[in-house]
C-alpha cells in the first residue's frame, strides 16, 4: 500500500482562533472547499448523483457511497500536531501533515488547491466578523519541496512509499513496551466506547486498521492468523497505566449537530511475550488507530522499555 506524507506550511495574514485538536476544523473546511472545486453538478447530496462512483470528492470524503457493506476508512489522515496554541497572530507560522493512502496520493494537487482557497476564505472561529486568513507557503514531502507560493506551481513529487511491512519479521526478547496515546483514542468494544485498554483490545483495533486499509487501498487483506494473534495477545498484561478520558466536541455542518468526540489519552505499560506484535504496532504508529482518524485522532507512540 502506498503511503504519502506531505507537510503543509502557511503564514497567518490576520488573527485566527483554532481549537485544541485542529484536524477537526481542517477536515470540515477541506471537505467543503474540495467539493466546491470538483463537484460538476453542484448537488447538495451525493447519494443520488450519477457521477458519485467516479467523483474525487466522494472517493476521498465519502467512500461509503462507492462500496457496499461496512463503510471503508477514508484514504487520508490530517495530522496537526498539538502545538499548545489556539490563538494565532498575523505573521505566525503553522504546519501540519497530510497522510494519503493508495490512489489518493494522485490527488495531491487538489488538496493543495483546496487549501489555497481555504486560505483566502479564512479558518477558525470568527473574530471581528471574519475568520483567520492565511497564505499557503510550501508543501513538502520529506526534503522535497512540491509547492512554493513564490512560483505558485506544483512540481513533480516523489512517488509515495509502497509500504510493505514485513509482518512476519519479529524483534527478539522484548518483554515490556509503553504505548502513549498522543491524541484521543476512540475504540468501540461490545458496542460501547472503551474506557480501558487491555492489550487484546489494542491488538484487535490494530488488526482492524491494517485489514481495512490494505483491503481498500492496498493489495488486499493481509494473510494473517487474526484469531491466533488475538488469542496470544490475551496473555499480555497491564503493568501500569495512566489513562483518562478527554471530552471534546465539534460541530458538524453536514449533519447540522454537535458531535461528541471524547477518547482515551495517556499511556499504558504492557508486559509479556511482545515480539510478534511489534510490526503491527509500528505500522499503526504511522496510520493512527480507532475512530475519526481523519481528524488526527488515535495517534500512538510505541516505546520499548525492556527485554
Amino acid at each position: 500500500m502506498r503511503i504519502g506524507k506531505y507537510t503543509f506550511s502557511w503564514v497567518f495574514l490576520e488573527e485566527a482562533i483554532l481549537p485544541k485538536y485542529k484536524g477537526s476544523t481542517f477536515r470540515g473546511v477541506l471537505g467543503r472547499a474540495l467539493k466546491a472545486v470538483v463537484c460538476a453538478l453542484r448537488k447538495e447530496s451525493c447519494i443520488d448523483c450519477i457521477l458519485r462512483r467516479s467523483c474525487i470528492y466522494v472517493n476521498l470524503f465519502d467512500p461509503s457511497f462507492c462500496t457496499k457493506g461496512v463503510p471503508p476508512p477514508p484514504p487520508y489522515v490530517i495530522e496537526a500536531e498539538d502545538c499548545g496554541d489556539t490563538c494565532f497572530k498575523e505573521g505566525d507560522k503553522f504546519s501540519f501533515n497530510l497522510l494519503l493512502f493508495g490512489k489518493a496520493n494522485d490527488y495531491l494537487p487538489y488538496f493543495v488547491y483546496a487549501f489555497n482557497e481555504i486560505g483566502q476564505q479564512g479558518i477558525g472561529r470568527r473574530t471581528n466578523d471574519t475568520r483567520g486568513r492565511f497564505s499557503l507557503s510550501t508543501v513538502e514531502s520529506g526534503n522535497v519541496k512540491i509547492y512554493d507560493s513564490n512560483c505558485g506551481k506544483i512540481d513533480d513529487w516523489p512517488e509515495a512509499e509502497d509500504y510493505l511491512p514485513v509482518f512476519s519479521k519479529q524483534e527478539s526478547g522484548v518483554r515490556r513496551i509503553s504505548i502513549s496515546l498522543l491524541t484521543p483514542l476512540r475504540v468501540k468494544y461490545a458496542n460501547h466506547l472503551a474506557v480501558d485498554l487491555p492489550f487484546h483490545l489494542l491488538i484487535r483495533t490494530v488488526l482492524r486498521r491494517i485489514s481495512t486499509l490494505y483491503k481498500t487501498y492496498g493489495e488486499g487483506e493481509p494473510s494473517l492468523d487474526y484469531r491466533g494473534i488475538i488469542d496470544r495477545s490475551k496473555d499480555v498484561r497491564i503493568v501500569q497505566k495512566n489513562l483518562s478520558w478527554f471530552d471534546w466536541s465539534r460541530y458538524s455542518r453536514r449533519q447540522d449537530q454537535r458531535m461528541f468526540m471524547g477518547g482515551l489519552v495517556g499511556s499504558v505499560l504492557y508486559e509479556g511475550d511482545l515480539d510478534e506484535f511489534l510490526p503491527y504496532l509500528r505500522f499503526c504508529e504511522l496510520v493512527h488507530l480507532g475512530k475519526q482518524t481523519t481528524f488526527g485522532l488515535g495517534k500512538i507512540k510505541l516505546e520499548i522499555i525492556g527485554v
Side-chain angles (χ1 to χ4, degrees), residues 104-134:
N105 286 278
D106 300 337
Y107 301 141
L108 177 63
Y110 289 93
F111 286 92
V112 176
Y113 184 86
F115 270 105
N116 264 319
E117 292 294 299
I118 293 166
Q120 296 177 31
Q121 299 164 13
I123 194 171
R125 188 189 306 170
R126 287 185 180 274
T127 58
N128 300 322
D129 205 35
T130 62
R131 301 185 190 276
R133 294 181 303 116
F134 61 84

Side-chain angles (χ1 to χ4, degrees), residues 19 21-32 61 76 78 186 247-262 292 294-297:
Y21 293 109
K22 300 165 183 62
S24 63
T25 295
F26 298 167
R27 161 59 180 84
V29 295
L30 177 59
R32 293 194 294 274
F61 285 86
Y76 67 94
I78 297 174
R186 292 170 55 82
D247 264 323
W248 69 289
S249 64
R250 66 181 290 267
Y251 177 75
S252 171
R253 184 171 176 178
R254 186 176 63 173
Q255 299 186 44
D256 191 25
Q257 61 178 324
R258 184 154 294 279
M259 311 291 290
F260 293 94
M261 308 287 286
Q292 282 79 43
T294 54
F295 303 145
L297 300 191

Side-chain angles (χ1 to χ4, degrees), residues 66-126:
C66 303
T67 59
K68 296 180 180 180
V70 178
Y76 67 94
V77 170
I78 297 174
E79 195 175 60
E81 296 292 341
D82 179 17
C83 59
D85 295 328
T86 57
C87 297
F88 298 86
K89 299 178 293 185
E90 178 183 347
D92 283 349
K93 297 179 180 180
F94 186 83
S95 64
F96 71 93
N97 295 322
L98 175 70
L99 305 179
L100 296 178
F101 308 136
K103 187 175 176 55
N105 286 278
D106 300 337
Y107 301 141
L108 177 63
Y110 289 93
F111 286 92
V112 176
Y113 184 86
F115 270 105
N116 264 319
E117 292 294 299
I118 293 166
Q120 296 177 31
Q121 299 164 13
I123 194 171
R125 188 189 306 170
R126 287 185 180 274

Side-chain angles (χ1 to χ4, degrees), residues 189-243:
Y189 185 61
N191 210 31
H192 295 284
L193 284 170
V195 294
D196 200 359
L197 197 60
F199 192 70
H200 75 87
L201 178 54
L202 174 64
I203 292 302
R204 289 173 193 270
T205 308
V206 163
L207 293 178
R208 188 179 303 116
R209 181 69 164 157
I210 292 170
S211 171
T212 55
L213 282 180
Y214 269 84
K215 186 189 301 183
T216 312
Y217 306 113
E219 301 75 31
E221 184 173 356
S223 179
L224 299 174
D225 177 19
Y226 292 95
R227 180 173 295 180
I229 293 169
I230 292 172
D231 285 344
R232 290 186 291 275
S233 72
K234 294 176 182 177
D235 294 330
V236 177
R237 66 188 187 93
I238 293 177
V239 177
Q240 182 180 333
K241 61 181 177 180
N242 180 25
L243 293 174

